[in-house]
Amino acid sequence: MLKPTFSSLVARRLAPAPAWTCARCRIQLPRPAFPRGPIARQYGSVPRPSFTTPKPKPKPRRRAAVLLATAGGGAAAMLLSVGDDVKSGYEAMERTGRVASTLVLCINDYRTTLNQRDKLEDTEERDHVLKACHKRCALRTLKVLETNGGIFIKLGQHLSAMNYLLPTEWTTTFIPLQDKCPVSSFESIEQMFKKDTGEDLWDYFSEFSAEPIGAASLAQVHLATIKETGQKVAVKVQHPSLEQWSKLDMSLTSFTFSTLKRFFPEYDLEWLSSEIEVSLPLELNFQCEAENSIRTKEHFARIPELPLVIPDVIWAKKRILVMACEAGRRLDDLDYMDSNQIDRDEVSATLARIFNEMIFGDNAPLHCDPHGGNIAIRRTTSRRGGGANFDIILYDHGLYRDIPQALRRSYAKMWLAIIDGDVERMKKYVNEVAGVGEDKFPLFASAITGRDFSVVSSSITKPKEASEQKTMSSALQEGLLVDLVQMLGQVPRIILLILKTNDLTRSLDENLQTSQGPARQFLILARYCMRTVFYEQLDEIRQRGSLYWPPNAVRVFAAWLGYMRVGVKLEAFELWIIIKRAFGYQIGIGLGGMA
């Protein structure tokens, strides 16, 4: 899988390991403070964990008891809440015990480490101590996620993309989860098929591959042939064990984040578990995925110039989805693209157009999980998309959202302000979009763009340099994490998912290793934003009466001229980019006066 860089959201923490501290020793440990560094107001990039001192708690002798009682009581509550659904009580206790015990170990480790760190004077030694703690806790958590599997793998994958919010030690440790997905046995798939359809698998299929061609955290895909028609299909089947453990695992996830909040109040990640509670049931229902797939296919059928392929849905049950087989190569297979004369810059531009259409198109559904494993490319001779010799295939339509029109319009204006480097308009529309005030808007602007705020406020279209990356990395060590976590907990959930989509598509573009830099991406974004603003202006004019009424006709003409002026300007910039790229120059542009 490609490594996504989510510039908009999400977090992590869990896991098991050695090193146990007895109760008598633990209660003698002083409660460490989580120092909160100064807010770096010159940029809104993403930080590393640092915490402020929590409010006074019970006496030291009672602290360990409180921690263990919280974990034990929560674990018992989890079991009681799902007792009717769990078939194996012993395995349920094991799953719960792994999470609870690892949570206790990690909380105790951080509290002890941070107390030790406060006593050190050498900056390098302080950083080393904290990083070592990050790594220990990340490894413990990784072990729990791998052992429990299912939803925990999904959570780990989600967290591995959150390098804007979590320390490097956490994100890099979780990277193996991108490719370490469980594979359910063929026998369990046969049993589930019969249970869900009432028919034997071989009554419907003449061929069905015993080994899946791909496996993810929630499902796996098999190639098959429909007996009656002979059609080759891809069959997506949910891991059978998810039905047994999903309720317990979701309760454990919620318990974990609420416990973290109890001991580290300013590191509040309950918004993350709340979003998972909403989105996961939708992802586990393949009938919802089928509906999203059909709707997306119908929307893009009206835009034939975009070479997007959505596999046809044959039929769907809650845990089984049968689709037309549309095969392609991964987007990180650069050798395949190069050997087939597929222009990577054009692939990048096509992806930008597809996902900007999802965000800004009227009534367009937004795919909120566009990571490398859900997108494929293949060479074609059909020459769609203005002469493109490739198709983009989009899979996994389980996680979708609809963006309200008012939010979409404010979001377009916000991006135009960012592209223009207009700080005052940025403040206005960041507040409209996310409810973020002036004090936090630099942080939000950097989170949404993945750039240092000094760049955001000047020319975001210039390529990212090593010095900028170093500045942002330093920022992550200075206490911005608490501010970022609190801010993300306050913005609308739909914004978090839009940020996630932005970040994953940016990661896809970076992995394509294009020669054009970020400039063309922002040009394409600006086009869609200006189209959105133009349509809003037309709606406002219609409210005054007929568009043909002379005063309104003048307003329409003025709005159209503004739209066309920007369109011509963007065409000229794009042509200039192509010329400069042909001569090997790096591209940095300024798009002042977009709106």
Side-chain angles (χ1 to χ4, degrees), residues 233-412:
V233 294
V235 184
K236 182 176 180 179
V237 290
Q238 194 174 115
H239 294 303
S241 61
L242 286 177
E243 183 180 45
Q244 180 181 11
W245 300 116
S246 60
K247 188 175 180 181
L248 173 62
D249 291 349
M250 279 306 308
S251 297
L252 288 171
T253 301
S254 178
F255 167 70
T256 297
F257 288 119
S258 64
T259 302
L260 286 174
K261 179 182 178 181
R262 174 184 176 85
F263 288 92
F264 308 126
E266 295 198 6
Y267 196 67
D268 181 4
L269 294 174
E270 283 194 301
W271 55 267
L272 175 58
S273 61
S274 297
E275 176 55 39
I276 293 175
E277 287 176 358
V278 173
S279 62
L280 192 62
L282 298 176
E283 291 187 81
L284 291 176
N285 187 344
F286 291 173
Q287 290 172 318
C288 290
E289 177 172 348
E291 292 173 1
N292 292 333
S293 177
I294 294 170
R295 183 181 167 201
T296 303
K297 189 177 184 70
E298 290 175 349
H299 181 87
F300 281 92
R302 301 192 291 269
I303 316 173
E305 62 271 19
L306 288 178
L308 177 65
V309 174
I310 308 291
D312 288 323
V313 173
I314 311 296
W315 58 265
K317 295 285 186 181
K318 186 174 181 180
R319 296 191 294 173
I320 305 169
L321 177 61
V322 181
M323 306 165 286
C325 184
E326 300 285 0
R329 306 294 286 268
R330 289 172 59 98
L331 276 178
D332 58 358
D333 193 341
L334 303 183
D335 290 338
Y336 170 79
M337 283 185 263
D338 294 343
S339 62
N340 283 276
Q341 291 78 51
I342 296 175
D343 189 333
R344 287 189 240 158
D345 289 342
E346 291 308 312
V347 173
S348 171
T350 299
L351 289 171
R353 292 186 177 99
I354 289 171
F355 287 102
N356 277 305
E357 174 62 30
M358 287 185 169
I359 292 173
F360 297 106
D362 282 337
N363 299 314
L366 174 63
H367 190 302
C368 295
D369 197 21
H371 60 73
N374 289 339
I375 304 177
I377 187 170
R378 69 184 179 197
R379 181 180 171 82
T380 181
T381 57
S382 63
R383 290 288 174 178
R384 291 197 301 149
N389 64 340
F390 58 84
D391 284 331
I392 299 293
I393 309 169
L394 186 60
Y395 307 115
D396 196 351
H397 303 272
L399 184 56
Y400 268 69
R401 287 291 188 277
D402 288 287
I403 305 175
Q405 185 183 71
L407 177 59
R408 185 169 65 243
R409 289 173 171 177
S410 293
Y411 187 71

Side-chain angles (χ1 to χ4, degrees), residues 462 577 582:
K462 66 182 182 182
I577 285 172

Side-chain angles (χ1 to χ4, degrees), residues 470-483:
K470 184 176 180 180
T471 300
M472 294 178 69
S473 298
S474 299
L476 301 182
Q477 309 295 330
E478 296 187 10
L480 285 174
L481 180 64
V482 171
D483 299 284

Side-chain angles (χ1 to χ4, degrees), residues 13-15 21 26 29-32 34 51 63-64 66-68 70-71 99-115 133 136-137 140-141 170 255-264 267:
R13 270 179 171 89
L14 283 149
T21 306
R26 190 183 301 107
L29 293 174
R31 180 165 185 152
F34 281 63
F51 310 89
R63 288 174 184 156
V66 170
L67 179 58
L68 292 173
T70 301
V99 173
S101 61
T102 301
L103 184 60
V104 169
L105 285 172
C106 289
I107 290 176
N108 186 63
D109 197 351
Y110 269 107
R111 288 164 61 86
T112 303
T113 298
L114 290 168
N115 184 58
C133 180
R136 287 194 304 271
C137 292
R140 292 183 187 128
T141 301
W170 281 88
F255 167 70
T256 297
F257 288 119
S258 64
T259 302
L260 286 174
K261 179 182 178 181
R262 174 184 176 85
F263 288 92
F264 308 126
Y267 196 67

Side-chain angles (χ1 to χ4, degrees), residues 28-33 35 111-123 125-126 129:
Q28 295 175 357
L29 293 174
R31 180 165 185 152
R111 288 164 61 86
T112 303
T113 298
L114 290 168
N115 184 58
Q116 175 189 355
R117 181 173 175 266
D118 287 343
K119 298 176 181 178
L120 300 174
E121 296 183 359
D122 184 75
T123 302
E125 189 175 358
R126 286 164 57 88
V129 167

